Amino acid sequence: EVQMVESGGGLVQPGGSLRLSCEGSGFTFGSYSMHWVRQAPGKGLEWLSCISSSVSYIYYADSVKGRFTISRDNAKNSLYLQMNSLRVEDTALYYCARGGAPRPDYYMDVWGKGTTVTVSS
Amino acid sequence: DIHMTQSPSTLSASAGDRVNISCRASQSVGTWLAWYQQKPGKAPKLLIYKASTLQSGVPSRFSGSGSGTEFTLTIDSLQPDDFATYFCQQYDSNPYVFGQGTKLAIK
């Protein structure tokens, strides 16, 4: 079964850092681009970042550029999101999602269940 | 950046109805558009990609159409399981933004 499992969420103070992880299984992880998408409580989906299969392309939304860093370790079937300088407005459920191709400009065909990040003092 | 606008934001319908959800892009995205369904407490699920291609396993009552800046998701003969929130997303160019969502509610 193709699936992704996110971890690393939690409660952090404003200005703090957190590292999210996403482990893929049931598919050749290194052959697909990967994305992070978040959803604030009661709100819509916000695309955050993506990384191509070979790490040739990395893109960020303006809302997280300079604060968040996406990375991947294909040997470990894992995707990461390093989040620094966290703000209250970063509070959300964070999903990782598989892109349907090695390149980043593709739809997301498999999603994890998400990990919750709460930024509060 | 491309901006995606869905309409309506909320749609009330009954089982058996046919409904249309619209998605408009601020500039052409060709046919690089996907539709997702999200139920409360669940992750989004891909329904349609490349504007009109049905994802494997998705019932044929779902269909997508459009190109350029105007797109439509159509659900024929609504089933109880279809009441959910629907999002469009463009993947023509970075950032790969989503529409704000359309909540399909039971009338």
Side-chain angles (χ1 to χ4, degrees):
Chain A
E1 179 190 7
V2 175
Q3 64 177 354
M4 273 86 66
V5 179
E6 302 93 337
S7 60
L11 174 64
V12 60
Q13 292 187 338
S17 298
L18 213 53
R19 189 195 196 206
L20 306 184
S21 299
C22 170
E23 184 171 352
S25 61
F27 65 101
T28 304
F29 186 84
S31 295
Y32 295 86
S33 62
M34 295 295 296
H35 299 253
W36 287 102
V37 175
R38 70 183 178 186
Q39 188 168 36
K43 302 298 184 181
L45 301 172
E46 181 186 11
W47 176 83
L48 297 180
S49 181
C50 67
I51 184 169
S52 61
S53 61
S54 59
V55 198
S56 299
Y57 300 97
I58 291 177
Y59 301 133
Y60 297 97
D62 285 346
S63 59
V64 303
K65 197 175 296 181
R67 300 188 299 125
F68 291 10
T69 302
I70 192 172
S71 62
R72 65 189 296 163
D73 184 339
N74 290 339
K76 295 183 178 180
N77 294 336
S78 291
L79 174 74
Y80 306 102
L81 187 67
Q82 177 66 44
M83 304 187 296
N84 298 332
S85 303
L86 282 161
R87 305 166 180 166
V88 171
E89 55 265 35
D90 294 319
T91 294
L93 180 62
Y94 284 71
Y95 294 104
C96 71
R98 187 182 80 170
R103 66 182 200 266
D105 52 341
Y106 230 69
Y107 51 84
M108 301 168 207
D109 62 352
V110 184
W111 294 63
K113 294 182 178 180
T115 186
T116 299
V117 173
T118 303
V119 185
S120 173
S121 54
Chain B
D1 294 355
I2 298 172
H3 184 69
M4 306 299 292
T5 303
Q6 289 182 232
S7 61
S9 295
T10 305
L11 179 58
S12 296
S14 301
D17 286 352
R18 182 178 197 250
V19 298
N20 291 310
I21 297 171
S22 294
C23 177
R24 175 175 292 179
S26 59
Q27 64 191 71
S28 177
V29 298
T31 55
W32 306 118
L33 184 108
W35 289 97
Y36 302 87
Q37 177 194 65
Q38 187 180 35
K39 297 179 181 178
K42 300 292 186 182
K45 171 188 172 185
L46 176 67
L47 296 177
I48 287 170
Y49 60 92
K50 206 163 184 260
S52 61
T53 302
L54 206 62
Q55 172 70 342
S56 176
V58 174
S60 58
R61 63 180 180 273
F62 292 90
S63 62
S65 63
S67 65
T69 61
E70 301 283 344
F71 301 89
T72 302
L73 173 69
T74 300
I75 312 173
D76 284 316
S77 188
L78 273 172
Q79 300 298 303
D81 191 50
D82 300 337
F83 292 95
T85 300
Y86 294 85
F87 296 92
C88 63
Q89 184 216 8
Q90 70 83 16
Y91 53 97
D92 177 68
S93 63
N94 164 51
Y96 306 121
V97 297
F98 292 87
Q100 81 278 16
T102 295
K103 183 176 181 179
L104 179 54
I106 300 174
K107 185 184 290 185

